[in-house]
């Protein structure tokens, strides 16, 4: 929705499908802003002399949402049926201001960019048996495989006894801590991101697997599980005395080809 009235611009932006866990940050163009309990922006230059010139409200995409009554009060066509069930959204109100200030406050005019930093979909966590927000790579890949907006495989394929064991092992490996240079630790494999509905599911899951050195593995009992790469102490070590010859030596790929972003 986008419409102006009495010098103010009203905009509703769909963020994504499904319920979010939380919205952590809101940005106007390239500036992180703070908002009060009523949604009024309290960050300069959009807050001048106690007068907020922008108001931002959000919805987390509940299965049954509530419409923006503030917008409905201005536009009769936005009524109680405009809930956006299952769709997270943002409503931005750009209030009127002096013409001399407009280019400073809204250099992009009606195309002012609103962005959010959010904790996205809740997924089933094999380690806690709860559906919750997590960035555990194994939990997110498992969710995508059976999600109706993902690969859409039957839930039974990740629920066989051997598959369950494999997912639990993968999730545990993902939580293994690695030291940080500045001190402290963090889990080995954390996964965030988004995908579009016009992408091939194989491409999406391929990106997910690449970030955790993972591969999908069929189990003997008819399931599908995840194997995540992890260090294991070798049971046998090759020493110089067992190397009897060299077949070939070749140059590897150059650093610009192998560099990771």
């Amino acid at each position: 929705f986008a419409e102006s009235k009495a010098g103010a611009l009203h905009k509703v932006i769909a963020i994504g499908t499904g319920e979010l866990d939380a919205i952590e940050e809101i940005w106007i163009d390239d500036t992180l802003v703070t908002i009060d309990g009523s949604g009024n922006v309290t960050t300069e230059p959009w807050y001048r002399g106690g007068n907020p010139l922008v108001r931002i409200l959000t919805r987390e995409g509940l299965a049954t949402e509530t419409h923006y009554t503030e917008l409905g009060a201005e536009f009769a066509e936005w009524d109680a049926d405009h809930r956006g069930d299952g769709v997270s959204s943002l409503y931005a109100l750009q209030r009127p201001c002096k013409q001399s200030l407009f280019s400073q406050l809204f250099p992009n005019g009606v195309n002012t960019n609103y962005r959010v930093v959010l904790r996205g979909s809740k997924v089933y966590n094999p380690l806690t048996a709860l559906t919750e927000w997590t960035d555990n790579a194994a939990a997110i890949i498992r969710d995508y495989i059976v999600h109706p907006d993902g690969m859409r495989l039957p839930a039974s394929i990740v629920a066989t006894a051997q598959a369950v064991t494999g997912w639990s092992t993968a999730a545990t490996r993902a939580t293994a801590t690695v030291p940080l240079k500045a001190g402290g630790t963090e889990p080995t494999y954390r996964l965030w991101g988004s995908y579009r509905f016009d992408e091939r599911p194989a491409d999406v899951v391929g990106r997910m697997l690449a970030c955790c050195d993972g591969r999908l593995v069929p189990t003997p009992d008819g399931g599908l599980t995840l194997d995540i790469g992890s260090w294991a102490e070798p049971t046998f070590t090759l020493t110089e005395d067992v190397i009897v010859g060299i077949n070939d030596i070749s140059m590897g790929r150059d650093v610009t080809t192998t560099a990771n972003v």
Side-chain angles (χ1 to χ4, degrees):
F1 182 93
E3 191 63 69
S4 61
K5 183 177 182 180
L9 177 67
H10 303 257
K11 239 184 344 187
V12 176
I13 304 167
I15 298 174
T17 63
E19 181 184 353
L20 305 179
D21 184 58
I23 292 177
E24 296 185 328
E25 297 177 357
I26 296 178
W27 294 64
I28 300 178
D29 288 327
D30 294 322
T31 301
L32 173 64
V33 300
T34 58
I35 60 176
D36 62 19
S38 299
N40 294 308
V41 173
T42 57
T43 303
E44 294 183 352
W46 300 281
Y47 188 77
R48 308 179 72 88
N51 182 30
L53 296 176
V54 177
R55 187 183 188 190
I56 299 174
L57 303 174
T58 59
R59 297 288 186 268
E60 294 181 354
L62 301 177
T64 302
E65 265 297 356
T66 56
H67 81 303
Y68 292 106
T69 56
E70 300 81 1
L71 182 58
E74 299 292 335
F75 299 93
E77 61 268 31
W78 190 276
D79 58 30
D81 290 333
H82 290 74
R83 298 191 305 265
D85 293 349
V87 178
S88 55
S89 63
L90 178 149
Y91 165 45
L93 165 61
Q94 297 175 198
R95 294 187 172 103
C97 65
K98 295 181 179 180
Q99 186 174 357
S100 59
L101 291 176
F102 186 82
S103 60
Q104 175 188 351
L105 301 177
F106 308 110
N108 294 315
V110 297
N111 296 317
T112 296
N113 190 27
Y114 294 91
R115 298 183 292 124
V116 298
V117 174
L118 57 86
R119 296 198 302 270
S121 299
K122 299 175 183 179
V123 302
Y124 177 82
N125 188 339
L127 298 181
T128 64
L130 299 174
T131 299
E132 57 189 0
W133 185 88
T134 178
D135 58 5
N136 184 289
I140 293 171
I141 293 172
R142 181 190 180 281
D143 178 79
Y144 181 75
I145 286 174
V146 299
H147 200 283
D149 291 331
M151 296 193 77
R152 301 184 293 276
L153 296 181
S156 59
I157 202 169
V158 296
T160 66
Q162 292 175 332
V164 168
T165 299
W167 286 108
S168 179
T169 300
T172 300
R173 288 179 176 177
T175 62
T177 57
V178 292
L180 300 176
K181 182 178 181 181
T185 62
E186 73 170 318
T188 305
Y189 295 123
R190 304 161 72 194
L191 174 57
W192 310 314
S194 62
Y195 57 89
R196 292 159 45 113
F197 290 161
D198 60 358
E199 292 186 84
R200 292 194 320 138
D203 294 335
V204 177
V205 79
R207 294 201 302 270
M208 293 180 174
L209 293 172
C211 96
C212 65
D213 191 23
R215 63 190 182 99
L216 295 175
V217 181
T219 59
D221 61 353
L224 184 68
T225 194
L226 175 68
D227 181 30
I228 282 183
S230 64
W231 169 255
E233 290 293 337
T235 56
F236 182 78
T237 302
L238 293 174
T239 57
E240 291 184 5
D241 59 341
V242 300
I243 301 175
V244 297
I246 297 176
N247 181 57
D248 183 44
I249 297 179
S250 62
M251 293 291 292
R253 290 181 294 176
D254 65 276
V255 67
T256 60
T257 304
T258 57
N260 193 8
V261 176

